[in-house]
Amino acid sequence: MNSITLENKKPPYLMLSILFIGAFVSFLNNSLLNIALPSIMVDLKIADYSTVQWLATGYMLVSGVLIPTSAFLLTRFSNRQLLISSMAIFTLGTALAAFAPNFGMLLTGRMIQAAGSSALGPLLMNIMLVSFPREKRGAAMGIFGLVMISAPAIGPTLSGYIVEYYDWRVLFEMILPLAIISLLLSIWKSENLMPQNKKANLDYLSVVLSSIGFGGILYGCSTASSDGWTDGIVLTALIAGGVSLVAFIIRQLTMEKPLLDLRVYKYPMFALGSVIAMVNSVAMFSGMILTPAYVQSVRGISPLDSGLMLLPGAIIMGLMSPITGKLFDKIGPRVLVVSGLSIMAFSTYMLAHLQLDSTYTFIIFIYSLRMFGMSMVMMPIMTNGLNQLPTVLNPHGTAINNTAQQVAGSIGTAVLVTIMNSVTKSEAKSLMASVDPTTITEASTALLTQQALLAGIQYSFYVTFVVNLVALALSIFVKRVDTSAEAVSKIENQQNTASKPVSVS
């Protein structure tokens, strides 16, 4: 079936609904376990936090390694085959994790879950792109943003409630029936909508290079936040990852049929949108780490109450995503992106001024305002960039966007956590030196520790504020891609990815 013809037909709402269920379950699962890690340590008798952290780190690594191959998978296999296989693998991993008798089996289940879910996001995004004409993609991608953004945002709140009142295994047991339902619907009701190239070949050297490259960088950065940047294993992982990534990029640019077609960056709005999305990912992930650190470690608020405080922001972000999509179709990306990044910069600056006695209302308002601004950025900037690509390059564009954002978010989070820890240690030494040792009590030591951590969090938010300003400056150059019939025809008729990019209006 021709993908261009697909855009002129009625969108396959049943197929999209099946994909939305599967994607929501997998995205929710991504952030569901973080708050439960201490409970898992106690239940499975794990002595070292760095060991149990692998339940989150391992999931991220497997996803980061497999997402670059999604472009090949989307080209080589039908979307029905890929959906059924992904949901079957994800369901198997969920079942293993739910009934795991020990940590090894639990970690295996999480890794299998990640392998199954890694293709679901790119698959859903590509189905959305071929199911709607370019001039209506904003509203469609806004719905996708509702799933992509709200599911991981709701995860910590839901996890906090379950961990406080139930067993951590419930986190997997509630996901399992949803995964099974999604798998059965995929088998019975899914259909093929995207063009398929059965002759597509997988370049194994590219897979090895991308696995070492992205896996090494993700592992190095995630470990550096706890072990430090000078740790031998961290340095080895980062150097191996960096060298492999450079070799991977060179190979992709010299191959006729690359695993990831990096020539999509010759399209100016895609390139600019990708860079802004990466910078924004740093700001987004940092907020999801620094804000809970302040609420729980500085203010001493319980995980459940912390999650409830952050829930309004998640709800606002989810509700705004479809609205933002419709506005994108009407007015284009620039006004939305500039406005959203301005709001994010202001709210991040205010978060940098949090105090030991900041009111709950202030915290909820500023965090929700930040999430409101964020909802105006990600989907419009990504959709505008993808609108400039020929349909044949959609799998590569979505794979590159997903990979780049995950790597950027991982690096940014690691750097900001390192900055927070460094400033906290320095401030703690300074505060302790300024106090008479004879007057130090347990209560005063706790207060000094809170003040030192607050200083580290404030400094990290200032750095995030600068990152926001960089994204804001870049957003000024965003232009709306022309989606008229003539422009779309020129896009689709390009003979190869090296063709001159289409102009923007």
Side-chain angles (χ1 to χ4, degrees):
M1 183 179 292
N2 188 292
S3 61
I4 301 176
T5 305
L6 260 175
E7 291 189 352
N8 297 322
K9 289 189 174 183
K10 184 179 179 180
Y13 291 113
L14 178 59
M15 179 67 179
L16 290 172
S17 299
I18 295 171
L19 274 165
F20 272 122
I21 295 173
F24 181 86
V25 170
S26 67
F27 289 151
L28 176 64
N29 180 76
N30 195 9
S31 64
L32 200 58
L33 212 61
N34 293 348
I35 290 180
L37 295 182
S39 299
I40 294 173
M41 286 182 67
V42 174
D43 192 36
L44 297 182
K45 297 179 174 59
I46 302 168
D48 190 1
Y49 188 81
S50 62
T51 300
V52 77
Q53 181 67 25
W54 267 100
L55 293 173
T57 304
Y59 191 97
M60 180 187 68
L61 282 174
V62 173
S63 296
V65 167
L66 292 181
I67 286 176
T69 65
S70 64
F72 164 78
L73 296 174
L74 288 165
T75 304
R76 174 64 178 81
F77 300 100
S78 70
N79 56 258
R80 185 174 187 274
Q81 291 173 324
L82 192 55
L83 175 59
I84 293 174
S85 299
S86 296
M87 287 311 307
I89 294 171
F90 180 81
T91 303
L92 173 62
T94 304
L96 285 176
F99 303 106
N102 52 54
F103 177 74
M105 186 65 73
L106 177 59
L107 181 60
T108 300
R110 281 288 285 175
M111 296 267 192
I112 295 174
Q113 276 187 320
S117 67
S118 61
L120 287 174
L123 175 60
L124 175 55
M125 187 174 289
N126 277 275
I127 293 294
M128 300 286 282
L129 292 175
V130 301
S131 299
F132 295 89
R134 281 172 168 78
E135 68 273 11
K136 295 182 180 179
R137 280 181 179 174
M141 293 294 282
I143 301 297
F144 172 76
L146 171 63
V147 173
M148 188 182 77
I149 293 168
S150 63
I154 292 171
T157 304
L158 182 61
S159 178
Y161 175 80
I162 289 174
V163 169
E164 186 155 329
Y165 294 104
Y166 302 97
D167 186 79
W168 61 266
R169 293 181 187 274
V170 175
L171 296 172
F172 295 104
E173 292 169 355
M174 72 176 185
I175 290 290
L176 186 57
L178 296 175
I180 292 173
I181 291 171
S182 183
L183 174 59
L184 294 176
L185 287 173
S186 303
I187 295 172
W188 293 336
K189 296 295 184 179
S190 63
E191 56 183 312
N192 291 323
L193 302 173
M194 295 173 59
Q196 181 183 354
N197 179 12
K198 293 185 178 181
K199 295 182 180 180
N201 295 316
L202 181 63
D203 180 53
Y204 293 103
L205 179 56
S206 292
V207 174
V208 171
L209 290 174
S210 69
S211 299
I212 298 174
F214 294 117
I217 291 174
L218 287 170
Y219 175 77
C221 290
S222 61
T223 308
S225 60
S226 57
D227 295 348
W229 293 93
T230 58
D231 180 77
I233 296 178
V234 171
L235 287 175
T236 301
L238 290 175
I239 292 172
V243 172
S244 298
L245 186 57
V246 170
F248 173 76
I249 292 172
I250 293 173
R251 183 167 179 79
Q252 302 316 294
L253 293 175
T254 56
M255 292 180 66
E256 183 179 351
K257 295 181 179 179
L259 179 69
L260 270 185
D261 199 335
L262 301 178
R263 285 165 288 196
V264 293
Y265 281 108
K266 290 188 176 182
Y267 295 83
M269 286 304 104
F270 176 85
L272 181 60
S274 180
V275 172
I276 292 175
M278 283 190 285
V279 175
N280 198 53
S281 290
V282 175
M284 179 174 69
F285 281 104
S286 67
M288 297 175 81
I289 294 292
L290 298 174
T291 307
Y294 165 78
V295 173
Q296 293 182 38
S297 299
V298 175
R299 300 298 301 274
I301 300 171
S302 70
L304 175 59
D305 290 337
S306 300
L308 291 174
M309 288 179 68
L310 304 182
L311 184 60
I315 294 174
I316 289 173
M317 198 172 186
L319 293 176
M320 277 299 299
S321 191
I323 297 173
T324 301
K326 290 183 178 180
L327 288 173
F328 168 80
D329 287 334
K330 292 182 179 180
I331 64 176
R334 181 187 286 175
V335 173
L336 290 170
V337 175
V338 171
S339 300
L341 287 171
S342 298
I343 293 171
M344 283 185 65
F346 170 76
S347 54
T348 301
Y349 181 79
M350 296 305 295
L351 286 173
H353 288 78
L354 288 171
Q355 302 297 325
L356 291 175
D357 58 351
S358 295
T359 64
Y360 285 15
T361 303
F362 177 79
I363 299 168
I364 294 172
F365 173 74
I366 293 299
Y367 184 79
S368 299
L369 181 65
R370 192 171 193 266
M371 298 293 271
F372 172 74
M374 200 175 295
S375 70
M376 302 170 68
V377 179
M378 293 301 285
M379 281 300 107
I381 200 67
M382 288 173 59
T383 305
N384 190 62
L386 290 168
N387 276 348
Q388 201 177 33
L389 300 182
T391 301
V392 70
L393 287 181
N394 282 341
H396 295 273
T398 55
I400 287 171
N401 271 339
N402 278 274
T403 304
Q405 289 176 49
Q406 186 158 358
V407 172
S410 174
I411 294 174
T413 299
V415 170
L416 288 167
V417 169
T418 302
I419 291 172
M420 180 185 73
N421 290 337
S422 177
V423 173
T424 298
K425 291 178 181 178
S426 175
E427 187 70 14
K429 288 181 180 179
S430 177
L431 289 172
M432 292 298 291
S434 64
V435 177
D436 184 353
T438 60
T439 64
I440 294 179
T441 63
E442 186 175 337
S444 63
T445 300
L447 179 60
L448 291 176
T449 301
Q450 287 179 311
Q451 291 176 333
L453 179 57
L454 176 62
I457 292 172
Q458 288 174 332
Y459 195 90
S460 294
F461 269 127
Y462 274 121
V463 175
T464 306
F465 169 67
V466 174
V467 171
N468 276 139
L469 291 181
V470 172
L472 179 59
L474 291 173
S475 69
I476 297 173
F477 301 99
V478 172
K479 297 180 181 179
R480 184 175 190 170
V481 171
D482 188 357
T483 56
S484 65
E486 182 181 354
V488 171
S489 179
K490 289 174 66 177
I491 292 173
E492 295 297 349
N493 288 332
Q494 289 179 340
Q495 294 301 309
N496 53 62
T497 58
S499 299
K500 184 179 179 180
V502 295
S503 62
V504 292
S505 60

